Amino acid sequence: MRKLTYYIACSIDGFIGDPQGDAAAMYAFVDEEFFGFLAAEYPETIATPGRRQMNIDHLPNKRFDTIVQGRASYDVALKEGVTSPFAHLREYVASRTLGESPDPHVEIIADDLLGRVRALKAEDSAYDVYLCGGAGIAGELLDEIDELIIKTYPIVQGSGMPMFAAGFSITQFALESVRTFGNGVLVRTYSRKR
């Protein structure tokens, strides 16, 4: 069984973006040290255009071969004219409103998201499934998330888009590791307590 890993960036107070979901305030913390870590440990989580721009498109996938993201996350790329933002992965976008996919490489999941994710997790693969966000899809899939990798940036936003948009429910995870960086960024890894 493959893991569903919610790999996400957030502020100290748990927001993944401003109220509209814009995470640009966090970009300044992707310095040489932190980028080196991302490229070495999670190269496939960097969007294809960014990989090409930074000349790391040759790096093999290390953890994931599949990405599931929400419509709002996908729209960030669409607004830039990029219809397949993670061309180096199998791409799925959860959307009840998008209709037909703008790219043959991107599959739209219009209904039964939970069933589709369970089927992806049941596939025989050495790689896990990367849940890219945002808050709505993470809330909907909370019971299926096996691992959290949270890149916490040293900022407080006060409000914005939360990591999870779901009803109140306590779900326990166990801390597996913490990595600190000179710029104040923390990368925490948690596994679901069973």
Side-chain angles (χ1 to χ4, degrees):
M1 178 77 76
R2 309 201 297 162
K3 286 191 250 180
L4 178 64
T5 300
Y6 188 27
Y7 175 89
I8 194 72
C10 73
S11 62
I12 292 170
D13 49 348
F15 295 107
I16 62 175
D18 69 12
Q20 289 72 44
D22 184 351
M26 299 177 198
Y27 298 164
F29 295 96
V30 183
D31 61 11
E32 186 176 342
E33 178 194 21
F34 188 53
F35 177 75
F37 166 78
L38 296 175
E41 299 297 324
Y42 302 100
E44 66 271 37
T45 64
I46 299 169
T48 302
R51 289 167 57 96
R52 291 178 181 151
Q53 181 181 8
M54 296 174 223
N55 201 27
I56 60 166
D57 202 27
H58 64 284
L59 295 177
N61 297 346
K62 294 192 81 170
R63 290 276 321 271
F64 310 109
D65 67 358
T66 304
I67 184 171
V68 176
Q69 60 183 322
R71 168 73 189 267
S73 295
Y74 184 55
D75 276 348
V76 172
L78 283 181
K79 289 176 185 171
E80 299 298 320
V82 179
T83 58
S84 179
F86 292 89
H88 53 284
L89 300 171
R90 291 170 48 208
E91 294 178 272
Y92 295 88
V93 174
S95 174
R96 293 179 188 91
T97 59
L98 191 56
E100 188 174 322
S101 175
D103 193 288
H105 189 257
V106 177
E107 182 179 322
I108 305 301
I109 303 172
D111 53 35
D112 193 19
L113 174 62
L114 186 59
R116 189 68 181 108
V117 166
R118 285 178 175 161
L120 289 171
K121 287 176 65 176
E123 292 176 347
D124 185 22
S125 174
Y127 295 97
D128 292 325
V129 180
Y130 166 26
L131 177 59
C132 181
I137 190 174
E140 193 172 337
L141 293 172
L142 178 57
D143 290 341
E144 289 299 315
I145 295 173
D146 303 291
E147 181 179 53
L148 301 170
I149 300 174
I150 305 169
K151 300 169 290 177
T152 305
Y153 293 87
I155 57 173
V156 172
Q157 292 186 192
S159 69
M161 184 174 288
M163 284 179 54
F164 293 92
F168 179 78
S169 174
I170 295 175
T171 305
Q172 289 192 8
F173 286 81
L175 181 64
E176 298 292 332
S177 67
V178 178
R179 172 89 186 253
T180 60
F181 295 87
N183 62 7
V185 173
L186 299 176
V187 176
R188 297 171 289 154
T189 302
Y190 295 88
S191 61
R192 176 182 288 279
K193 280 192 169 182
R194 300 282 180 198

